[in-house]
Amino acid sequence: MPGLQVWAGGISRAVRPKQGYVGPRIWHLIDARARVVGKLASSIATLLVGKHKPTYVPRFDCGDHVIVVNAKDVVFTGRKWEQKEYHHHTGWPGGLRTIRAKDLLAKFPERIIGRAVRGMLPKNLLRKQRMMRLHVYPEADHPHDAQLIGSYRAYGPRWPLGSKPERWCPRVEPPVPQGPQPLAPAQPPTQPP
């Protein structure tokens, strides 16, 4: 692979990327409908850091782009909608501001996923660059269709909205054919020369 350096020392042999090698960045499309915020954020953080790649090195920024749609339909477990609070400080004396999770969802639904992912990224100088590759949208519409052509992986909801999983895996029924199926036209047999 271009940009890789092979190091052979003793018995082991390791493949390490050269300084500055990033590799191809893939665009991932994730549907956040009916997904638990913490589990969704941990999978997004793995994609942003690049731990899913075989060329992962902790000191390089080799992660991918992540697009999250339907952020307004995320799910918290338990009573977190009423109990969870987000804090920030304005910088002025007495400027501590607090907002509950359900109020933040009503105003800025994309910030719930953004804050959860930011908290799960490593606390180093690369966190800001990795967060710039996270694109969160409250609805299903997004302006990144051109980037997704030919180089993306889509992740959908685990089960349809309003239904519950059966033993942690939804049952998928095979489609039932409707009416008689048309037959393909018969081809005349070919004679060998």
Side-chain angles (χ1 to χ4, degrees):
M1 291 180 86
L4 294 181
Q5 178 181 8
V6 177
W7 174 79
I11 300 173
S12 66
R13 182 175 165 206
V15 177
R16 298 178 183 168
K18 290 182 181 177
Q19 181 70 28
Y21 176 71
V22 176
R25 293 196 193 272
I26 299 173
W27 289 74
H28 300 268
L29 178 64
I30 298 178
D31 189 1
R33 188 184 313 123
R35 301 283 299 267
V36 179
V37 174
K39 294 178 181 180
L40 176 66
S42 65
S43 63
I44 292 172
T46 302
L47 295 172
L48 289 175
V49 171
K51 282 193 170 183
H52 62 290
K53 295 183 176 183
T55 58
Y56 168 71
V57 176
R59 66 181 183 273
F60 293 155
D61 185 18
C62 55
D64 294 336
H65 290 268
V66 178
I67 303 169
V68 181
V69 294
N70 294 322
K72 63 179 180 54
D73 296 327
V74 294
V75 176
F76 272 123
T77 58
R79 298 180 53 203
K80 291 190 184 85
W81 286 120
E82 292 84 21
Q83 293 177 347
K84 186 168 180 64
E85 295 178 339
Y86 294 96
H87 308 283
H88 75 277
H89 203 283
T90 62
W92 292 84
L96 182 65
R97 301 291 183 251
T98 304
I99 186 169
R100 288 188 305 189
K102 69 177 183 178
D103 298 331
L104 187 63
L105 180 75
K107 290 183 180 180
F108 308 106
E110 61 274 0
R111 290 189 188 175
I112 290 180
I113 295 177
R115 281 180 169 229
V117 171
R118 188 173 193 277
M120 292 189 184
L121 288 175
K123 281 68 174 176
N124 55 23
L125 297 174
L126 297 175
R127 180 160 68 166
K128 186 175 180 181
Q129 297 173 15
R130 290 169 176 159
M131 284 299 293
M132 288 173 58
R133 289 195 310 273
L134 175 65
H135 313 278
V136 184
Y137 299 99
E139 301 290 334
D141 300 327
H142 61 86
H144 302 288
D145 289 331
Q147 286 83 9
L148 291 178
I149 295 174
S151 71
Y152 84 101
R153 298 181 182 148
Y155 305 91
R158 292 189 175 179
W159 51 83
L161 193 62
S163 66
K164 294 199 174 189
E166 297 179 15
R167 294 190 181 191
W168 300 105
C169 71
R171 177 179 291 169
V172 178
E173 299 293 333
V176 178
Q178 302 292 329
Q181 298 295 323
L183 297 175
Q187 298 290 334
T190 59
Q191 296 177 354

